[in-house]
Amino acid sequence: MAEVTTAEASEEAHATSLGLSNEKLAMWTLLGSECLFFGALISAYLIYYTNYNGQPEISPALFDIPFTSVSTFVLLMSSLGMVLALSAIQRGDDRGFRIWILATAIMGSVFLSGQIYEFTVFVNEGMRLDTSPFTSSFYVMTGFHGIHVTVGVLMLITLWARSMTGKLTSEHSDVVENIGLYWHFVDIVWIVIFTAVYLVPYEQVGA
Amino acid sequence: MSDADDLEHADHPDSSQYIVIGIILAVFTAIEVAISFAAVPGEIAVPALIILTVLKFLLVVMWFMHLRFDSGWFRRLFVFGLGVALAIYAATISLMLYAGAATQA
Amino acid sequence: MITASRSEAAGHRSAARRRWAAWTVLLGLLMAGCGTRELPQSALNPAGPVARAQDELWDLVFWIAVGVFILVQGLILFAVFRFRDRGGDEIPKQVAGNTKLELMWTIIPALILVGIAVPTVQTIFELAQEPGEEALDVRVIGKQYWWGFEYLDEDQQGVITANELHIPTGRPVFLRMQALSATQPDPGFDAAPEIGQGVSNGVIHSFWVPRLAGKQDVVPGHTRTLTIQADEPGLYPGQCAEFCGLSHARMRFDVIAHEPAEFDQWIADQAEPAEAAEDGLAAEGEELFQSQQCIACHAIDGYEAAAGTAAEVRIGPNLTHFASRRTFAGGVFDVNDEAQLKAWLANPQAVKAGSQMPNLGLTDDQIDALTAYLYTLE
Amino acid sequence: MNAVPAESPRSSLKILQRPKAETGLWSWITTTDHKKIGVMYFLATMVFFVIAGVEALLLRIQLAVPENDFLSPDVYNQLYTMHGITMVFFVGIPLGASFFNYIMPLQIGARDVAFPRLNAFSFWVFCAAGIFMYSGVLLGGLPNGGWFNYAPLSTTVGPDVSGYTVGGGSAELGTQVHMGRMLLYSIGLQIAGIATLASAINFIVTILNLRAPGMTLMRMPIFVWMTLVVAFLLLFAIPVIGIALWQLMFDVRFGANFFNPAAGGDPVLWQHMFWLFGHPEVYILILPAFGIISEIIPTFSRKPIFGYTAMVFAGVAIGFLGWGVWAHHMFAVGMGPVANTAFALTTMFIAVPTGVKIFNWIGTMWGGKLRLTTAMLFAVGAVAMFTIGGLSGVTHSVVPSNYQQTDSYYVVAHFHYVLFGGLVFGALGGVYYWYPKVTGRLMNETLGRTNFWTLMLGFNLTFGLMHFVGLWGMPRRIDTYAAGFGWDLLNLIITVGAFIIAGSVLLLIINMASSLRRGQIAGDDPWDARTIEWMTSSPPAHYNFKEVPQISARDELWHRKHAVSEQGDYVRVPAGGAGTVVIHDPDTDIHMPDPSFYPALAAVGMPIMGWALFTSGTGMIVLLAVGCVITVGALFAWAFEPMAEEGH
């Protein structure tokens, strides 16, 4: 593989053995690792989702699927916004980039607000972190995902701000691409969580 | 092991393709929600939901994250992590649920 | 540019002698180890079929390991002595590998391991089999930091003891083990604290009587099983083998094997309720036992306490036949050592860290009376 | 990670001026040089090694005689727990990291790692984790549930549920003390995990992407291969324990029910999660030593490594199989015969690639010309001692006999043969081998040999005898034992052995310290070695190589020093053959990353967020916010700080 890079190129810091960017390689490595983070959380949920600690009324029956479907849809569409933003900045279309990156950040924020609202409703119905293994694993899993979304939104807003002050141009599209990878990953984790937690007819398989 | 063919920023899809993918994702999600509401028996609903989820997952990873177009190294790194996660957690879940679970006499 | 020192051959030779001396000492100890068959808690000294099956596998693997050990260390030593740099300019042959050799030392170890795997798997399944009807059924309770034993067979119900498990020889004993909260009453075997029933807030212990069987962890929320059996009458000490807190080291017990007839007699004795103390100091102690908090945790069959009947008062060990036992407080103190018993009653945590028995602030007179009473519980 | 190159070095977010110091304290705190970071990792590791060693000595004094009361049970439990945690997380992992940091970039011909500031960040976060962990000395005690910290002893119950002993009769105080200690464990290890994960990603990218031209994967030294395998193991193992610790933290601090059987949780889940991480961790600890041994033995045998490809694949196979054996730590838990059989078989199978490595090392020595320097003695000693640990490992895989061995001193003996006999001996070989490269001076060989033989003696006395007490029925983690079980004399000898080890470690420290000034000047290539780190000066300049070498073979340096004669034999090329021609003026032509304050600053916020959980209400929120602002602020500033100032 190293043969593709020339000897003189290796003198430059950015030329690499694989011909790939360090940052992007690191991002994919991190995402490989993140699979194990979320895998552990989802596994704990799958092990405990029928375990109600003697309070069967606090169960997945509380989930408001229409509501969550809407916020899931918003998060899914934010991924579309992200690719459109990337494609805009790669074309050098700064205005398009700003529109789409801001839209993505807003959609992410809508999802987060939905999650906070959902948590509030649940807590009011008596579903607390310490109610049962089911609730513990639900909150810790979705909360951990929520933290990831928050970090993503912060990065997106930063990108938008940098672009507004003219400090982010098509030269830096690789930064946008890497943050985009992170954003899409957070989205695919939710695709899995949405099915595993909300959609699977637990009352049929739960027995 | 030559990666001369792994060129970065290979042909990425253009915006119209992204929008098509976005629409497909939305439709799949709608089908999923419909299945969940339409009281489909579990033995059909669960496999259907899993298949749709996997398809959505692949669409995002392959197109939005460009794994289909990018260097094989990215794919290897991600699939490696994903594979290890699937294997060990599947084993853990089955051990937790079936091996030495409450052996109440 | 070679600047590293390369000679000092004399130093090497004396170093080698030291190495040999070290190995000789180790080998001597190994011999001593094999000869020490009278060790009371040694896994190499099995006294029943379960431990023997485990020990036979150990012997097989141990000797294979010794063989491999001698081979590998021999090769290393040979290489070190034979291929030492003795000067000269010639460059050793640059051998990059040898496929045949490498295949050989991949395949041969794999075959040896298959040879070990076969009896291993057989024994795993043999030991996992539950014994038949003839087995004695005993429930084992693990609490911080003592063991309780409850006899479950129909004609033996109500026999409960602590820190010593009496068994008949020549008969399998089927143990059903539960880890329970140290501070809550034991709900009884059938109200079995499975995961999620709110009462099993104990910690993990591990039941280990090396001469009778290997370990079985006792996990809160699960009922674990183990079969043990003793060939000969005798005392087989055991110990908790999973870290369980401050007094993990002081969570011991004994298995005492009797001839069957003797065992039946023991059961009959234990089934008797306690008798009221006649008079004097012991009667005073009995009074104290019931008026102080003792009775709230320790059942004595034949008495009722405010907290409930003897069958319900199950936080601490059942003391109905306290004086008939060898040890108390997790098998670490001698029942017949009066001074120790008094020290224990005066301040349990001073003699056993983390003990759940509270310090009741008893006076010396009260302790004397309680001691006298406890010794009447035979 | 995604540094946006700023146009102006005076961006508005720039609170601190770019550090300039090249010597002195600040040059170390702000450095981004992988070599300086490697040295700091090593020194920090030595500090923790001494701390954990002293803890071990205290434990051994307590166990020297039966019924001893030198340590109270509470102190004993804290010490044995911290001995394990420190040795695994603050000695084993960073010791590997120190070698990876210093040696790996040199061996692949890189100027630095891929992310120099992330590297500094890893180190400072690791230090922050250590400080946080040991802050328990001032905060009511250190973790005391064992390094494995099994629930529910670690969560809802605690070792002193009524607080009679620790809380002085107050269950409330007892619970509070317990919670604090468990928070130290869970958060301390999570912080350490962040450091480890960051450096794992860094090493993977460095090895994949920054190799010198011509350095294909199959030309990389075995040490670099083992670095890669370890980095992948860390990459996948750290998240598992990270989530388990995260859940433990919620159980302990916020009343969640992951592992609480009273509320429906299952304590066995913790065991699975812990060992899912814990077993790969064993290979994380030992594979760096395998890599080091694979560098030392060829050099001092004057032969290439025997079966390079097999060595690489055996290492990769060990890494892979390491994921399928975790439940062999849980044979006595009661998983049932089917699960136990499955894990017994995978465990036995892992002995095969391990055996391949051992035989290949012997094959490397076979027919060579062995120079028994101290480094070589340690490497060969490590092979010999690791073999014993490997064999006792096979005895563990035999499940029925494992029921007797598990949780006894036999296991303690086993893993010390693996980790002390393998890792420590191997790493000390590495210290003697690379010390001249790092400092420019050789270590004293006479002291070194004494160091080796005393360590060999003390080590075998200590851990060899533990096999016997274990088989004779002595459980682990007991703070005292009664006389009459036949353990007394052996325990006394074991304690004597432990002090011999301590004396030997003292010799090592003396040797390292005194050789720094008085050691013989080493030169570039004192051992007549084979790999390219020996082509540059000792110590290397901050840019490593004046000219990055073009690689055309494994053992590149050896091939540069030798030519093939007409008879087909290798003959030595006269001195100077290895010389490189300087084309560039390194001081102006090679761009190296500048130092930075932010990595160290970002680390400062993390323990503050951890300590926040010791408080509650407003205090907790304020502390959390302060820690968060420091860390996130430093990360932002770092992201907008260019890798190197313009015009440098």
Side-chain angles (χ1 to χ4, degrees):
Chain A
M1 61 206 57
E3 286 78 356
V4 295
T5 60
T6 54
E8 60 272 24
S10 72
E11 283 298 294
E12 298 298 321
H14 59 257
T16 60
S17 310
L18 299 180
L20 306 170
S21 111
N22 283 341
E23 284 77 13
K24 198 166 165 188
L25 206 54
M27 180 52 79
W28 275 109
T29 313
L30 174 72
L31 296 185
S33 177
E34 288 271 8
C35 290
L36 283 110
F37 273 110
F38 283 102
L41 290 163
I42 296 171
S43 304
Y45 181 82
L46 291 179
I47 289 166
Y48 284 143
Y49 77 111
T50 55
N51 195 327
Y52 308 133
N53 188 23
Q55 295 164 79
E57 70 282 4
I58 309 292
S59 78
L62 293 177
F63 294 151
D64 181 353
I65 293 175
F67 180 84
T68 313
S69 302
V70 171
S71 69
T72 302
F73 179 75
V74 170
L75 190 64
L76 208 53
M77 288 306 110
S78 79
S79 255
L80 180 60
M82 188 72 231
V83 277
L84 292 175
L86 175 63
S87 136
I89 197 165
Q90 278 172 345
R91 286 196 310 268
D93 174 5
D94 283 355
R95 194 171 159 275
F97 169 73
R98 280 172 215 157
I99 292 170
W100 282 116
I101 203 82
L102 192 61
T104 308
I106 290 171
M107 285 189 272
S109 311
V110 167
F111 173 84
L112 276 177
S113 322
Q115 194 170 38
I116 292 167
Y117 169 77
E118 190 185 33
F119 279 14
T120 320
V121 171
F122 289 160
V123 169
N124 287 338
E125 293 183 38
M127 177 175 164
R128 307 171 66 90
L129 176 72
D130 57 4
T131 305
S132 64
F134 154 66
T135 63
S136 297
S137 52
F138 172 80
Y139 280 123
V140 171
M141 169 181 57
T142 49
F144 194 82
H145 180 263
I147 292 173
H148 273 76
V149 178
T150 312
V151 170
V153 169
L154 276 178
M155 291 197 291
L156 295 177
I157 292 174
T158 311
L159 287 181
W160 174 75
R162 300 285 288 179
S163 173
M164 289 303 279
T165 51
K167 287 175 183 163
L168 187 82
T169 58
S170 57
E171 282 170 53
H172 311 125
S173 70
D174 53 333
V175 179
V176 178
E177 187 179 3
N178 287 330
I179 291 176
L181 288 176
Y182 173 88
W183 188 258
H184 295 307
F185 179 79
V186 171
D187 184 29
I188 57 174
V189 169
W190 190 259
I191 289 177
V192 175
I193 291 180
F194 181 58
T195 304
V197 175
Y198 293 89
L199 293 184
V200 167
Y202 53 88
E203 67 279 4
Q204 291 180 40
V205 286
Chain B
M1 236 184 271
S2 169
D3 291 85
D5 52 337
D6 289 333
L7 290 171
E8 218 182 341
H9 299 302
D11 307 326
H12 286 177
D14 61 22
S15 299
S16 59
Q17 265 178 292
Y18 288 140
I19 291 167
V20 172
I21 306 271
I23 292 169
I24 299 175
L25 287 171
V27 170
F28 280 9
T29 307
I31 300 174
E32 283 182 336
V33 176
I35 290 176
S36 140
F37 270 93
V40 177
E43 50 271 28
I44 299 169
V46 174
L49 286 171
I50 291 174
I51 290 169
L52 284 168
T53 304
V54 170
L55 286 176
K56 282 163 73 183
F57 186 99
L58 288 177
L59 280 175
V60 175
V61 172
M62 289 301 190
W63 270 271
F64 285 3
M65 296 168 89
H66 311 134
L67 213 47
R68 193 161 173 272
F69 314 99
D70 262 351
S71 160
W73 279 97
F74 301 135
R75 189 161 54 242
R76 267 164 244 164
L77 285 167
F78 184 64
V79 171
F80 191 15
L82 192 64
V84 170
L86 285 174
I88 65 174
Y89 293 129
T92 306
I93 292 172
S94 34
L95 282 168
M96 282 303 295
L97 296 182
Y98 305 112
T103 51
Q104 180 65 54
Chain C
M1 202 188 317
I2 308 162
T3 51
S5 60
R6 62 161 69 161
S7 64
E8 292 182 7
H12 281 314
R13 248 172 265 128
S14 75
R17 265 200 299 278
R18 262 174 282 152
R19 190 187 169 114
W20 276 114
W23 281 116
T24 317
V25 170
L26 271 177
L27 274 176
L29 281 161
L30 186 73
M31 302 298 204
C34 298
T36 331
R37 286 277 164 182
E38 71 279 8
L39 293 162
Q41 200 166 306
S42 168
L44 303 180
N45 188 10
V50 178
R52 204 174 305 115
Q54 293 166 342
D55 187 50
E56 277 163 11
L57 267 181
W58 158 260
D59 281 344
L60 168 77
V61 184
F62 176 72
W63 288 113
I64 291 175
V66 167
V68 178
F69 172 83
I70 291 171
L71 173 75
V72 172
Q73 308 291 358
L75 286 173
I76 293 175
L77 286 175
F78 181 82
V80 166
F81 286 106
R82 169 69 181 76
F83 300 113
R84 278 272 279 290
D85 183 358
R86 293 186 170 79
D89 286 337
E90 78 282 11
I91 296 159
K93 195 152 178 272
Q94 300 293 300
V95 184
N98 180 327
T99 313
K100 267 187 204 158
L101 265 178
E102 288 172 52
L103 273 178
M104 187 191 80
W105 62 53
T106 310
I107 293 168
I108 293 179
L111 291 178
I112 294 175
L113 287 167
V114 170
I116 296 173
V118 171
T120 299
V121 175
Q122 275 174 349
T123 315
I124 291 174
F125 281 91
E126 274 164 30
L127 293 184
Q129 262 174 1
E130 296 190 1
E133 284 297 306
E134 82 283 6
L136 179 73
D137 253 3
V138 181
R139 176 187 184 213
V140 175
I141 299 152
K143 286 198 171 199
Q144 283 168 312
Y145 303 94
W146 59 278
W147 295 95
F149 301 100
E150 182 179 355
Y151 289 76
L152 294 175
D153 280 345
E154 221 156 285
D155 52 337
Q156 298 170 356
Q157 279 186 0
V159 176
I160 299 178
T161 171
N163 305 318
E164 57 186 50
L165 170 62
H166 291 256
I167 61 169
T169 55
R171 184 175 162 196
V173 180
F174 189 54
L175 305 173
R176 300 161 195 268
M177 313 202 259
Q178 295 169 335
L180 300 177
S181 164
T183 52
Q184 292 177 48
D186 166 12
F189 180 72
D190 289 328
E194 268 191 81
I195 289 284
Q197 293 181 345
V199 285
S200 58
N201 218 345
V203 303
I204 303 173
H205 304 282
S206 191
F207 183 92
W208 189 28
V209 203
R211 294 193 63 198
L212 298 183
K215 296 168 201 74
Q216 173 61 56
D217 288 1
V218 189
V219 185
H222 299 277
T223 300
R224 296 300 196 221
T225 59
L226 177 71
T227 307
I228 60 171
Q229 185 175 333
D231 301 329
E232 300 291 332
L235 178 76
Y236 304 100
Q239 187 159 3
C240 175
E242 183 66 84
F243 180 65
C244 59
L246 281 170
S247 269
H248 166 54
R250 284 164 289 275
M251 187 168 165
R252 308 189 47 82
F253 62 100
D254 294 316
V255 175
I256 299 170
H258 305 275
E259 298 287 359
E262 213 179 299
F263 173 75
D264 291 340
Q265 183 57 45
W266 180 84
I267 285 285
D269 291 346
Q270 293 285 312
E272 297 286 320
E275 284 165 26
E278 311 247 305
D279 55 357
L281 201 56
E284 203 179 302
E286 185 178 352
E287 186 87 0
L288 268 172
F289 192 92
Q290 294 185 48
S291 61
Q292 290 286 343
Q293 292 164 40
C294 314
I295 194 82
C297 296
H298 295 285
I300 292 187
D301 297 341
Y303 288 87
E304 284 201 14
T309 63
E312 289 158 353
V313 181
R314 285 175 160 208
I315 295 177
N318 181 311
L319 297 179
T320 312
H321 297 281
F322 175 80
S324 75
R325 296 181 193 152
R326 290 183 62 248
T327 58
F328 68 96
V332 285
F333 302 125
D334 184 355
V335 162
N336 294 315
D337 185 340
E338 199 175 322
Q340 221 160 27
L341 181 56
K342 286 180 173 170
W344 167 253
L345 290 174
N347 185 353
Q349 284 75 42
V351 290
K352 183 172 177 178
S355 164
Q356 296 307 309
M357 179 151 122
N359 179 353
L360 297 175
L362 300 168
T363 64
D364 285 352
D365 290 343
Q366 288 174 318
I367 290 172
D368 287 344
L370 275 173
T371 310
Y373 171 61
L374 286 171
Y375 280 132
T376 66
L377 299 169
E378 292 197 336
Chain D
M1 222 173 302
N2 298 290
V4 181
E7 315 65 325
S8 149
R10 299 201 199 296
S11 113
S12 56
L13 270 151
K14 211 166 158 49
I15 306 156
L16 300 160
Q17 284 296 314
R18 191 92 196 210
K20 291 278 188 291
E22 282 173 18
T23 53
L25 184 65
W26 280 107
S27 77
W28 289 91
I29 292 175
T30 59
T31 188
T32 52
D33 178 354
H34 72 97
K35 295 180 291 301
K36 279 189 167 176
I37 292 170
V39 168
M40 288 195 292
Y41 258 118
F42 184 78
L43 294 177
T45 303
M46 283 306 286
V47 170
F48 282 117
F49 186 60
V50 169
I51 292 173
V54 169
E55 286 163 352
L57 289 181
L58 293 171
L59 300 176
R60 283 319 312 176
I61 294 173
Q62 165 70 10
L63 292 175
V65 290
E67 312 276 10
N68 200 357
D69 59 358
F70 173 70
L71 300 175
S72 75
D74 188 36
V75 171
Y76 182 93
N77 291 344
Q78 293 175 49
L79 288 179
Y80 97 72
T81 301
M82 289 311 293
H83 171 74
I85 292 175
T86 310
M87 283 297 191
V88 171
F89 292 97
F90 296 98
V91 177
I93 293 181
L95 189 60
S98 79
F99 281 101
F100 298 158
N101 254 303
Y102 202 102
I103 303 302
M104 181 270 287
L106 287 170
Q107 282 197 331
I108 61 172
R111 298 225 180 275
D112 205 319
V113 293
F115 304 102
R117 284 175 295 180
L118 187 67
N119 201 21
F121 173 75
S122 294
F123 172 74
W124 292 112
V125 172
F126 153 73
C127 285
I131 290 167
F132 181 78
M133 198 64 120
Y134 272 96
S135 71
V137 173
L138 307 170
L139 292 174
L142 296 160
N144 59 341
W147 88 288
F148 57 102
N149 215 32
Y150 275 3
L153 188 68
S154 59
T155 54
T156 38
V157 181
D160 189 28
V161 51
S162 298
Y164 291 137
T165 299
V166 174
S170 151
E172 207 176 318
L173 186 59
T175 312
Q176 221 173 341
V177 168
H178 170 65
M179 191 182 84
R181 292 173 177 185
M182 292 304 121
L183 282 178
L184 290 173
Y185 176 91
S186 61
I187 298 170
L189 293 188
Q190 283 182 68
I191 297 175
I194 292 170
T196 315
L197 199 57
S199 56
I201 294 173
N202 210 342
F203 292 145
I204 290 172
V205 175
T206 305
I207 294 174
L208 290 182
N209 238 1
L210 296 189
R211 281 163 287 138
M215 174 75 81
T216 58
L217 287 180
M218 292 313 276
R219 283 179 189 164
M220 297 195 308
I222 300 277
F223 179 76
V224 177
W225 263 109
M226 293 305 111
T227 310
L228 188 63
V229 175
V230 167
F232 270 106
L233 285 172
L234 285 168
L235 185 74
F236 298 148
I238 293 293
V240 184
I241 190 72
I243 291 301
L245 291 165
W246 180 248
Q247 293 168 335
L248 180 80
M249 182 187 82
F250 276 98
D251 264 20
V252 168
R253 181 65 181 80
F254 302 107
N257 300 311
F258 287 100
F259 311 117
N260 175 11
D266 194 334
V268 178
L269 178 62
W270 167 265
Q271 299 191 15
H272 279 297
M273 296 289 279
F274 184 83
W275 291 117
L276 257 174
F277 149 82
H279 200 84
E281 170 67 20
V282 174
Y283 299 117
I284 288 165
L285 295 175
I286 191 65
L287 288 179
F290 282 5
I292 293 169
I293 294 167
S294 304
E295 297 303 307
I296 296 175
I297 290 183
T299 294
F300 294 108
S301 304
R302 295 201 170 120
K303 279 180 64 201
I305 191 85
F306 192 88
Y308 173 90
T309 315
M311 282 304 247
V312 169
F313 282 104
V316 174
I318 291 172
F320 253 113
L321 290 173
W323 289 100
V325 299
W326 78 89
H328 69 205
H329 297 263
M330 301 164 60
F331 281 146
V333 169
M335 295 181 297
V338 178
N340 279 2
T341 299
F343 284 98
L345 296 180
T346 54
T347 305
M348 287 177 185
F349 194 63
I350 213 165
V352 174
T354 318
V356 166
K357 286 205 164 258
I358 290 171
F359 286 116
N360 278 359
W361 285 321
I362 298 173
T364 308
M365 294 196 281
W366 209 266
K369 278 178 81 175
L370 273 58
R371 285 170 294 160
L372 294 180
T373 59
T374 307
M376 182 66 168
L377 285 177
F378 272 110
V380 176
V383 176
M385 294 301 105
F386 177 81
T387 303
I388 300 175
L391 289 171
S392 56
V394 173
T395 68
H396 290 315
S397 70
V398 179
V399 178
S401 107
N402 176 287
Y403 294 146
Q404 292 281 17
Q405 297 157 7
T406 182
D407 276 320
S408 81
Y409 261 86
Y410 185 84
V411 174
V412 182
H414 159 73
F415 69 73
H416 279 96
Y417 266 87
V418 173
L419 294 181
F420 198 123
L423 167 62
V424 176
F425 273 74
L428 290 187
V431 169
Y432 279 90
Y433 183 59
W434 280 306
Y435 186 93
K437 180 51 63 184
V438 177
T439 64
R441 288 172 188 269
L442 291 160
M443 281 173 81
N444 184 310
E445 281 287 309
T446 315
L447 259 180
R449 290 215 176 80
T450 322
N451 179 202
F452 173 75
W453 287 110
T454 47
L455 198 62
M456 196 58 136
L457 173 73
F459 166 74
N460 278 299
L461 268 187
T462 306
F463 301 110
L465 297 186
M466 281 185 186
H467 288 114
F468 296 101
V469 279
L471 291 169
W472 294 350
M474 182 162 165
R476 296 169 78 171
R477 300 163 185 144
I478 53 173
D479 64 80
T480 186
Y481 55 93
F485 291 106
W487 309 333
D488 312 6
L489 176 65
L490 290 186
N491 269 306
L492 187 62
I493 303 175
I494 289 170
T495 301
V496 171
F499 277 89
I500 297 176
I501 294 178
S504 186
V505 171
L506 200 62
L507 278 183
L508 169 78
I509 294 173
I510 291 171
N511 197 352
M512 283 195 294
S514 68
S515 301
L516 206 54
R517 283 163 182 275
R518 287 199 296 243
Q520 205 182 331
I521 300 290
D524 293 0
D525 181 19
W527 308 121
D528 189 17
R530 314 177 71 88
T531 41
I532 61 170
E533 77 269 30
W534 302 100
M535 281 173 60
T536 186
S537 56
S538 305
H542 69 109
Y543 43 76
N544 289 353
F545 296 92
K546 284 179 180 155
E547 182 82 354
V548 170
Q550 174 81 36
I551 308 298
S552 53
R554 268 173 225 159
D555 294 338
E556 172 70 19
L557 176 56
W558 193 88
H559 283 280
R560 290 191 184 206
K561 290 188 289 196
H562 295 82
V564 184
S565 74
E566 283 157 20
Q567 289 81 32
D569 296 331
Y570 283 103
V571 286
R572 204 167 174 87
V573 176
T580 47
V581 186
V582 181
I583 303 169
H584 300 277
D585 176 359
D587 288 329
T588 53
D589 287 2
I590 301 173
H591 298 278
M592 295 303 294
D594 279 344
S596 172
F597 286 112
Y598 300 124
L601 187 62
V604 171
M606 294 191 183
I608 296 177
M609 287 187 268
W611 284 315
L613 293 187
F614 281 73
T615 60
S616 56
T618 325
M620 179 167 90
I621 290 164
V622 169
L623 272 178
L624 272 176
V626 168
C628 202
V629 165
I630 293 176
T631 298
V632 175
L635 290 176
F636 260 94
W638 164 3
F640 298 133
E641 179 187 60
M643 186 86 98
E645 298 294 337
E646 280 167 42
H648 177 85

